[in-house]
Amino acid sequence: MSHIHINVENLEFAYDRVKDTRKDDSQDNRIIKDVSFRACENDSIGIIGANGVGKSTLLKLLVGLELNFTGQIRVEEIPLEKKTLSRVREKIGYVFQDSDSQLFMTNVYQDVAFAPRNYGLPQEEVDRRVKNALSSVHIEHLRDKPVHALSGGEKKLVSIATILSMIPDIILMDEPSAALDPKNRRNLINILNEFDHMKIITSHDLDFIWDTCNRILLMADGQIVADGTPDEILKNKELLEANGLELPLSLMQR
Amino acid sequence: MSKINKAIGEIQNLTQMAEQDQWMNRIHPLVKLLLTVMYIGVTVSFDKYDFSGVLSMAVYPIIIFILSDLSFKNALYRMRVVLPVVCIVGVFNPFFDKEVAGYIELGTTADGVMRTLVVTGGVVSMLSLMVKGFLTVTAAYILIATTTIEKICYALRLIHVPKIIVTEILLIYRYITLLLTEAKRVVQAYSLRAPGQNGIKFSAWGSLVGQMLIRSMDRAENVYDSMCLRGFDGEFFIGEKVAFRGRDAAFLLSGIVVFVVFRCFPVFEMVGELF
Ligand SMILES: Nc1ncnc2c1ncn2[C@@H]1O[C@H](COP(=O)(O)OP(=O)(O)OP(=O)(O)O)[C@@H](O)[C@H]1O
Ligand SMILES: [Mg+2]
């Protein structure tokens, strides 16, 4: 059995804010319901499912942005809890669904350099990492641009660069292909396919998932309802439609 | 709408100025922070009747504005919001403090009567308060316009200000922009769905303001999360060579010398006596 990067067991989670004020405990407000899975080396997992089934929430749980879950999450054998947060986060790069939330420094260089600097790397190494990260998403020309003056797609590419500069063992991406034009979408597919570590991607763009993932988790109502290869799941019209999705375009034509 | 855009633009201009590669920007942030704090302390410490002493403290901003490429006109423009507040501070002094502080001769009239203007202590203290306010605000502006917020936070950490306070300062600074962008979005969304309406209907204010606050707070939380995910733990790493160099020491020393000299000796009067 190959090395297990992420091990999730009986994960359950509800947002505090939606707790029922009527004290009616019978109401089920869990967003994630009894989710278990293991992600191993070489896994490129695509999480798919209709709007609001809990895909983004699951990713947030994996990087410890929400901690009051029940069940267990282990990342590289480290149990995820408050005191192990920084160790876990060093290994994971997480790209937000909304890139405006992800970027906060004044210009692109500063933002991409933020993580390597925090790891206390020497300036030359920081520069080298920023350069590599920018060139792997083909945005060297944006290096000195102010972040607020970028287009939506450019912001997306910058936020991907900000985590590539961390050189993480695991990449989590929430809707990475949204906002990208066809050329940049294709570039991103190539980048992801070159990245030979473990990655988990959520997307409604099933063609994108088809091109980048070798394993699919289908979610519905906070649960994983199917776990299999792209062949097994993305070609299964009945299964997809039962869960509010449609066959990927590229497969429909066949 | 355009006002919000302008405000966002102003903040961004200021940040970009702070990021430029000018000599004043390259001075060690701690030196600038210390000098600014000292300057404010010294300026405020002058007696309220010592108008010429306070006025002489203008020497620091004047030198900086001459030596650096900061524009005084822009500075005044950016400070326009706080300056009126500064001016209001001493405005009641003349009414309370009517003791005569001196006379100004206005010359004699045709029939040989001497005309004088009586200056009361209240007027003097009002003027010196206003100048004090103006000078301290200017000094703070100089610091902000030449030092990025990260560097200021870094300097604060060097003098062991607690992490939580420094992080708070940073987040508040970033929050201003977030709040403004959220305000812009909400107002835009409103006006697109209320064509031909000038301004915003009073009945919609409550929910708009609420939306703005909730959304900007959510985003602030996201930004903080994003910082933590990338290894932020309250320490600031500004990256550039932050070594304390000779010219930083020189700048700090000359600043201190100027402050001490101007605080302890009535420089204006001494210069006046030379002639
Ligand atoms: N901060 C929050 N507070 C309360 N409830 C939330 C919060 N964020 C999400 N939810 C709720 O949790 C559920 C799952 O949200 P989540 O963002 O995980 O969905 P998703 O599968 O990523 O959807 P999408 O495809 O639209 O991105 C939704 O019903 C949403 O209303
Ligand atoms: Mg989502």
Side-chain angles (χ1 to χ4, degrees):
Chain A
M1 176 114 195
S2 58
H3 178 68
I4 299 169
H5 284 284
I6 295 182
N7 189 357
V8 176
E9 274 167 24
N10 309 106
L11 185 65
E12 305 236 332
F13 174 75
Y15 283 104
D16 294 336
R17 298 180 228 181
V18 288
K19 249 184 202 147
D20 203 336
T21 45
R22 285 166 301 174
K23 295 197 170 138
D24 176 9
D25 280 343
S26 61
Q27 179 130 358
D28 189 3
N29 53 29
R30 290 174 302 164
I31 303 293
I32 299 293
K33 300 171 189 165
D34 196 20
V35 164
S36 302
F37 69 93
R38 283 176 178 186
C40 306
E41 211 153 7
N42 308 324
D43 266 354
S44 296
I45 300 178
I47 301 185
I48 61 175
N51 287 129
V53 295
K55 305 182 295 295
S56 301
T57 307
L58 181 58
L59 289 195
K60 281 185 191 156
L61 285 164
L62 296 181
V63 281
L65 285 180
E66 301 286 350
L67 280 174
N68 48 352
F69 55 84
T70 59
Q72 209 183 37
I73 301 176
R74 287 172 159 272
V75 177
E76 307 288 358
E77 301 299 323
I78 307 167
L80 182 64
E81 51 194 72
K82 200 164 171 123
K83 58 177 194 285
T84 57
L85 263 189
S86 59
R87 268 162 73 211
V88 166
R89 286 172 172 177
E90 255 177 58
K91 301 178 189 305
I92 304 186
Y94 172 69
V95 180
F96 283 67
Q97 182 160 5
D98 160 27
S99 15
D100 277 328
S101 309
Q102 177 140 21
L103 305 173
F104 47 78
M105 298 293 278
T106 41
N107 68 30
V108 172
Y109 174 86
Q110 300 282 348
D111 223 310
V112 179
F114 185 83
R117 275 181 188 164
N118 275 327
Y119 297 145
L121 298 173
Q123 183 63 30
E124 306 84 67
E125 174 66 8
V126 172
D127 277 339
R128 203 182 59 81
R129 285 203 182 190
V130 173
K131 194 160 166 277
N132 288 346
L134 292 179
S135 71
S136 57
V137 280
H138 308 288
I139 50 167
E140 295 100 324
H141 57 288
L142 298 179
R143 185 180 185 276
D144 295 312
K145 267 209 157 188
V147 170
H148 67 93
L150 300 174
S151 79
E154 286 169 342
K155 279 184 193 158
K156 195 75 190 181
L157 293 174
V158 173
S159 28
I160 294 168
T162 61
I163 63 137
L164 291 181
S165 70
M166 296 167 64
I167 316 195
D169 295 336
I170 301 167
I171 287 187
L172 309 183
M173 290 195 181
D174 204 350
E175 304 278 353
S177 67
L180 294 185
D181 65 22
K183 183 161 156 268
N184 279 321
R185 181 176 168 281
R186 172 83 358 232
N187 279 340
L188 181 59
I189 292 175
N190 292 337
I191 296 163
L192 287 176
N193 287 335
E194 276 161 28
F195 180 82
D196 48 7
H197 298 284
M198 210 215 89
K199 51 191 173 279
I200 303 183
I201 300 166
T202 78
S203 185
H204 295 288
D205 180 350
L206 296 189
D207 294 285
F208 184 86
I209 295 283
W210 176 260
D211 285 334
T212 51
C213 298
N214 57 24
R215 180 177 165 197
I216 309 288
L217 300 182
L218 174 59
M219 285 185 73
D221 192 24
Q223 284 168 312
I224 295 177
V225 291
D227 177 354
T229 64
D231 259 339
E232 288 162 4
I233 293 180
L234 293 180
K235 288 182 176 170
N236 188 338
K237 193 160 182 269
E238 290 75 41
L239 180 66
L240 290 179
E241 279 173 3
N243 291 292
L245 298 169
E246 287 175 357
L247 278 183
L249 278 177
S250 54
L251 297 184
M252 257 198 269
Q253 285 145 8
R254 277 170 225 169
Chain B
M1 189 68 249
S2 64
K3 273 189 198 154
I4 301 179
N5 268 334
K6 225 168 162 183
I8 297 175
E10 292 274 315
I11 293 186
Q12 275 149 4
N13 282 342
L14 208 54
T15 342
Q16 269 167 33
M17 264 167 67
E19 260 171 19
Q20 281 170 359
D21 200 18
Q22 305 293 342
W23 71 267
M24 183 70 184
N25 300 32
R26 283 193 299 262
I27 297 283
H28 197 285
L30 185 57
V31 168
K32 284 185 279 185
L33 183 72
L34 287 181
L35 275 186
T36 308
V37 172
M38 270 190 260
Y39 176 78
I40 292 176
V42 169
T43 308
V44 170
S45 76
F46 276 94
D47 186 80
K48 64 177 175 173
Y49 295 125
D50 189 359
F51 183 63
S52 69
V54 174
L55 205 57
S56 69
M57 287 309 287
V59 68
Y60 169 72
I62 290 175
I63 292 177
I64 298 293
F65 274 108
I66 291 174
L67 292 185
S68 71
D69 67 341
L70 290 177
S71 139
F72 187 61
K73 213 176 92 196
N74 283 347
L76 278 185
Y77 180 72
R78 297 219 168 90
M79 293 188 295
R80 69 191 181 284
V81 207
V82 273
L83 287 184
V85 181
V86 167
C87 289
I88 287 169
V89 174
V91 100
F92 292 110
N93 286 18
F95 298 103
F96 297 123
D97 184 353
K98 294 199 167 147
E99 210 161 296
V100 175
Y103 302 94
I104 297 177
E105 287 181 22
L106 294 175
T108 41
T109 52
D111 42 348
V113 178
M114 181 86 131
R115 281 181 33 182
T116 53
L117 185 72
V118 179
V119 182
T120 62
V123 171
V124 174
S125 63
M126 175 185 79
L127 287 178
S128 69
L129 265 181
M130 283 178 180
V131 174
K132 275 182 189 177
F134 177 73
L135 292 180
T136 48
V137 171
T138 310
Y141 174 82
I142 289 176
L143 176 68
I144 293 173
T146 59
T147 321
T148 59
I149 187 74
E150 283 80 22
K151 287 189 179 165
I152 294 178
C153 291
Y154 171 78
L156 287 171
R157 280 299 294 151
L158 282 185
I159 48 176
H160 299 286
V161 176
K163 277 183 188 179
I164 181 142
I165 293 177
V166 178
T167 307
E168 197 74 7
I169 291 175
L170 177 82
L171 290 180
I172 289 174
Y173 188 83
R174 291 209 176 120
Y175 182 70
I176 299 172
T177 324
L178 287 185
L179 186 65
L180 286 173
T181 23
E182 263 338 302
K184 180 173 145 188
R185 285 194 197 163
V186 168
V187 173
Q188 253 170 1
Y190 178 90
S191 58
L192 283 177
R193 281 189 280 159
Q197 190 179 317
N198 256 338
I200 293 171
K201 261 202 307 206
F202 187 65
S203 60
W205 282 20
S207 66
L208 282 195
V209 171
Q211 272 302 307
M212 231 170 69
L213 286 179
I214 291 178
R215 283 165 51 167
S216 59
M217 266 149 56
D218 256 357
R219 282 193 53 199
E221 209 177 305
N222 281 340
V223 163
Y224 181 66
D225 283 344
S226 166
M227 289 167 64
C228 292
L229 287 181
R230 288 195 261 153
F232 177 76
D233 67 347
E235 262 346 314
F236 290 80
F237 298 90
I238 52 177
E240 286 91 35
K241 307 100 214 154
V242 283
F244 193 83
R245 282 155 308 176
R247 66 152 176 249
D248 297 319
F251 189 70
L252 181 62
L253 266 182
S254 35
I256 293 177
V257 168
V258 170
F259 297 166
V260 168
V261 167
F262 278 74
R263 181 67 189 90
C264 299
F265 306 100
V267 178
F268 272 19
E269 285 155 41
M270 283 156 66
V271 172
E273 276 162 20
L274 288 181
F275 299 102

